[in-house]
Structure formats: C-alpha cells, structure tokens
Amino acid sequence: MEAHPTSVGDSAAYERRNLSCDDVVIVSACRTALCKAKRGGFKDTPVDDLIAAVLKDTIRRTGVEPEAVGDVCFGSVMGPSSQRANECRIAMFLAGFPNSVPVHTVNRQCSSGLQAIAEVAASIRAGYYTIGIAGGVESMTTTPRAFACSARSAVGSYISDYFGVHTWLIAQVESMTTNPMAWEGAINPRVAENQCAQDCLLPMGITSENVAAQYGVSRETQDKFAARSHALAAAAQAAGRFKDEIVPVQTVLKDPKTGEERRVVIDADDGIRPGTTPASLGQLRPVFKKGGSTTAGNSSQVTDGAAAVMLMTRQEAAKRGLPILGIFRSFAAVGVPPAVMGIGPAVAIPAAVEMAGLTLDDIDVYEINEAFASQATYSVDKLGIDLDKVNPNGGAIALGHPLGCTGARQTATLLYEMQRRGKAARFGVVSMCIGSGMGAAAVFERGGEIDAAPRRPVGSQLTGLSRDAMVS
C-alpha cells in the first residue's frame, strides 16, 4: 500500500497518514507558576498543595473521572524520598482522588519530570493501563542544605580516618555547602580512585565552567543568551502566552518580620526580569570559580513549582471526545562525562530524534533547559539548531528550574506553543542536561494533525435516517 495526498478538502500542510489507536497522546498539560525559592510566591506553600493544584486542574480540564486513572508518577529530586512519596499520596487525596488510584515517584535528577512522562507513556504502551498522569514537583524553598559546618568537619574526619588526608575529597566536602544538589551522609573514600566518580560530586556551577572552558563559550555569549531568555519570557508573559498552561494557586504568604499571613492567588511566574541586557548581566561576578564566567545571571534560577500531564491511548481519547494536545513519539536518556554534564542535550536530542524516525531539520520547536547559558549555548551550536527555534518563550534562566518539575513544565510550554503555531509546528523536542553526567530528550508531535471533517446534526425534516445521524 502507498500513501497518496488527497486533493479534495485537504487543508493539511503535509501528507496525511494512517494513525494508530494505540498512539500515546497527551490530552492535558498544566503547571503552577514558577516562583523564586525562599522569597517568591510559594515560599510558604507545602509541596502537597502544589501537587494537588495541578492534579485537580488536570481532572477539571479533561473531565476524566479520577478513578479511571491507572497510575500517577511524579518526578522529584531534592525532597526526602519516602516523605516526597507520601506527600504525593496526600496530594492525590487533597485533589479528590480515591484511594484505589496508586502513585509513585521517580528521580533522574533534572530530567525527572520528563522521565515521569516517559514512564507513564511506556506503561500505557505496555498495556498496564490506558490513562495515566505524569508530572514533577520541587520546593527548593524547603530543601535542606546538605553539609552544615559541623557535618563538614565530621565527614572530613571520616575521610582522614579511612583514607588519609586527601585534599581533593576535603575540597569536595567543603564545596557541598554551596552546592544546591543535596548530599546526605558520608562520601565513599573509594571515590578518589576513579575520575568519573570524583566528577559526579562536582558542584553544578563548576561543570558549567568546565563546559565554557573546554568548548570556548565566552562570558559575553553566555550573558547574551541569558538576556535573550528574559526578553522572550517577558514578551510571552505580557502577551498572555502562559495563561493556558498556568493553574492559579490559592495559598498563604507570611510576612517574615511580623509573621502576618495573607491569602493570595499565585498565577504568574515571578522570576522574569524585563529589561535585562547583556550589559547589566556583565556587572555580575562569577560565583563558582575565581576568574570564571558562570554567574547568578546566566544560570537557572532556584525555583518552586509543579506540573502535570495526562496521557492516554488515542482510542481512549477518541472515545471520550478529548482534543489531543500532542503525541508522545520517542524518549532517550544518554550518558556523558560528569565533568561536562551540561552537554547532555547535544547527545540526547539526536538519539531521540532518530528513534522517532526524524532528522533535526524536522523539528520545529525545541525546549532545551537552560541550566546554564554555557551548556545551552553549546548544545544549540553543536547541533546547528536555528536559535529562533529554541525556547521561544524563554527558558529556565528567566522562568526558573524547579528540578523535578522542569521536564513536565517544558512539555506543557512546548505543546501550547505548537498548538498556537498550528501547521507551522508539527514536531517538537524537550531536552535537558542531568547532574552526574547524563542527558534526556523526548519528541512530541502536535495533536490534531488530521483535520476532523465538519459535521452537523441531521435536520428533523429529513426522513429515513436515524435520530443520531450526522452529515458532512
């Protein structure tokens, strides 16, 4: 059999094709606003309230009865493992789910939200269930900082006792006090025997410096990329382009001085800085390395937020009459050297695109996480991607990077952007680098790629047809 383009009533900009009822499709994608940790809109909001907000709105948007959901999977990085799992379970009940619906968490560091989507998609394809919810959450406000001074001394003693005084390990322990990736307990002294194992403990900012130095990404290039992120995000916010994806959250804000509480509704990202320029960013000092190029201004913001995506088979979506936002096409996770973990997207994107049977030229929109301007710039340049296709509404430098949430947040932003573009955007990619040396990427296809024929009820004056007949 051969596919042939039709000539009558065909409004598609590309050749039509048969679709599988088993396609895994996305029928809802939403997120909270992203707010600055410790001083933003969610600084006093419990994690389970953030999760409950996106779960409840997912049900509202789709009309799917909660008991029909086969499983819920949330990505989370910084929260204590068993506590975060319990918080997700509590959030389900707060959102009105029955106790018959299960939930679990997943942690692949910065890709956890995307990993959750991939796991739910895989489970649907395997036939475990037909409807699932994936998402991610992070409250970096409430994340404990690892290695206080007393703990640092204790670990230093541990290393000395078992391995002798090893300057590299002592330096890594000391660096943990400024590393946002929490560490609990002691470091295995054998880490000193393996370079890659050592590099897994590098502060993320140092890996950014490594990418900049190894691949020649200048400070000026990084600041220019960061200013672009703020400008695009500010324009998107002003134009209301985030409105469809953001769930307003009713919460409480406490005055840090008086303790007074006031009820507020948070419905806008609060880290975007309109008017940011490369010149203004150039005034900031490097924060990870003396004489370096990575600053607070060209790095992702430390942020609180949550996001959720509902997936199901195409057959289930059709049965329920739900519009399709996107189709999950492929997913790839790859490994790269830990010391330059930021290059992950440059390796993961080609792998995911090839798996989908496409080339980079087929991709219309990219959501590449801006962990640091150094690594995002490198990834775009390495793959030869047109920058106009990348993060058209800004990225993590302006919006923030709540670690476990980011992949799901990017997916929501991508799908709504593709929907706005219509036939000008058929395929999109979500990708990010991952701490300890990995990268992940997924390919999505815009939903509604086959136009439904216009139909209307049959007039009562027509006879010989059933009461529910329709005509084109």
Side-chain angles (χ1 to χ4, degrees):
M1 296 180 64
E2 294 183 4
H4 296 280
T6 61
S7 59
V8 180
D10 187 358
S11 61
Y14 38 80
E15 188 174 284
R16 297 184 187 279
R17 51 173 172 64
N18 292 327
L19 295 174
S20 169
C21 289
D22 293 329
D23 279 343
V24 177
V25 302
I26 295 169
V27 296
S28 173
C30 63
R31 67 176 178 93
T32 67
L34 303 186
C35 298
K36 293 175 286 190
K38 301 191 182 298
R39 53 198 179 95
F42 292 137
K43 69 181 182 66
D44 302 308
T45 303
V47 167
D48 33 20
D49 279 350
L50 294 176
I51 302 168
V54 292
L55 287 177
K56 188 173 183 177
D57 210 65
T58 297
I59 296 302
R60 181 193 67 80
R61 289 170 180 239
T62 61
V64 171
E65 55 280 12
E67 60 270 22
V69 176
D71 199 2
V72 176
C73 177
F74 259 70
S76 177
V77 178
M78 305 294 282
S81 179
S82 58
Q83 177 179 326
R84 184 52 45 86
N86 243 354
E87 287 169 331
C88 288
R89 184 67 170 157
I90 291 168
M92 288 178 58
F93 297 138
L94 296 177
F97 281 71
N99 58 25
S100 58
V101 179
V103 63
H104 69 287
T105 59
V106 62
N107 184 350
R108 199 195 285 272
Q109 300 199 46
C110 299
S111 71
S112 297
L114 185 62
Q115 184 69 47
I117 293 172
E119 289 202 6
V120 170
S123 294
I124 292 174
R125 281 180 176 165
Y128 297 157
Y129 47 81
T130 57
I131 303 173
I133 296 176
V137 67
E138 212 70 65
S139 174
M140 299 183 80
T141 291
T142 57
T143 299
R145 299 301 291 267
F147 286 97
C149 292
S150 58
R152 179 176 61 188
S153 299
V155 176
S157 298
Y158 171 85
I159 294 170
S160 298
D161 291 345
Y162 285 86
F163 199 72
V165 179
H166 192 289
T167 56
W168 177 86
L169 280 175
I170 296 295
Q172 295 314 302
V173 172
E174 290 176 345
S175 76
M176 292 296 179
T177 59
T178 58
N179 187 359
M181 305 297 284
W183 187 274
E184 298 175 6
I187 299 174
N188 186 341
R190 293 188 59 213
V191 166
E193 302 169 12
N194 184 288
Q195 187 61 55
C196 282
Q198 293 178 26
D199 293 341
C200 287
L201 298 177
L202 288 174
M204 294 297 97
I206 295 299
T207 69
S208 171
E209 294 287 3
N210 290 344
V211 169
Q214 186 167 328
Y215 300 104
V217 185
S218 69
R219 167 70 185 271
E220 292 72 23
T221 297
Q222 294 175 58
D223 287 346
K224 183 178 179 182
F225 185 92
R228 172 186 183 269
S229 183
H230 281 284
L232 291 174
Q237 189 175 62
R241 290 202 292 271
F242 297 132
K243 184 177 179 181
D244 289 339
E245 64 192 69
I246 292 181
V247 177
V249 177
Q250 293 187 14
T251 188
V252 170
L253 274 178
K254 298 178 183 177
D255 187 304
K257 294 181 179 178
T258 66
E260 181 183 355
E261 297 184 356
R262 58 187 177 93
R263 301 292 299 180
V264 295
V265 175
I266 304 298
D267 60 1
D269 305 314
D270 65 16
I272 303 170
R273 297 190 294 274
T276 299
T277 66
S280 64
L281 293 173
Q283 305 297 315
L284 301 176
R285 291 184 296 178
V287 293
F288 295 101
K289 178 181 176 182
K290 187 176 181 180
S293 60
T294 300
T295 71
N298 57 35
S299 305
S300 57
Q301 297 185 44
V302 181
T303 316
D304 304 330
V309 172
M310 178 176 277
L311 303 97
M312 61 179 62
T313 61
R314 181 185 293 277
Q315 184 176 35
E316 185 70 25
K319 183 176 74 174
R320 292 175 175 271
L322 291 172
I324 295 171
L325 275 178
I327 308 157
F328 183 89
R329 287 302 182 201
S330 69
F331 171 78
V334 302
V336 299
V340 287
M341 68 91 199
I343 70 172
V347 183
I349 290 173
V353 169
E354 181 181 9
M355 194 178 300
L358 303 170
T359 68
L360 294 179
D361 290 338
D362 294 317
I363 307 303
D364 302 298
V365 188
Y366 291 85
E367 278 288 330
I368 300 177
N369 189 42
E370 300 169 355
F372 300 96
S374 61
Q375 57 81 209
T377 299
Y378 165 80
S379 298
V380 172
D381 290 347
K382 175 66 176 177
L383 297 178
I385 299 172
D386 181 351
L387 187 58
D388 288 339
K389 292 184 176 183
V390 178
N391 301 351
N393 298 302
I397 289 173
L399 298 171
H401 178 23
L403 307 178
C405 164
T406 287
R409 191 284 300 170
Q410 288 177 283
T411 300
T413 302
L414 174 77
L415 293 177
Y416 279 108
E417 176 63 24
M418 292 173 68
Q419 185 182 60
R420 276 189 293 274
R421 296 187 181 197
K423 294 186 181 68
R426 180 173 179 179
F427 296 106
V429 161
V430 167
S431 184
M432 67 286 293
C433 58
I434 304 170
S436 77
M438 293 179 281
V443 176
F444 298 88
E445 185 173 0
R446 184 178 61 84
E449 74 287 352
I450 288 190
D451 302 330
R455 300 167 71 86
R456 63 184 186 278
V458 176
S460 59
Q461 71 275 17
L462 298 178
T463 59
L465 297 175
S466 64
R467 190 172 298 176
D468 61 348
M470 309 282 281
V471 296
S472 297

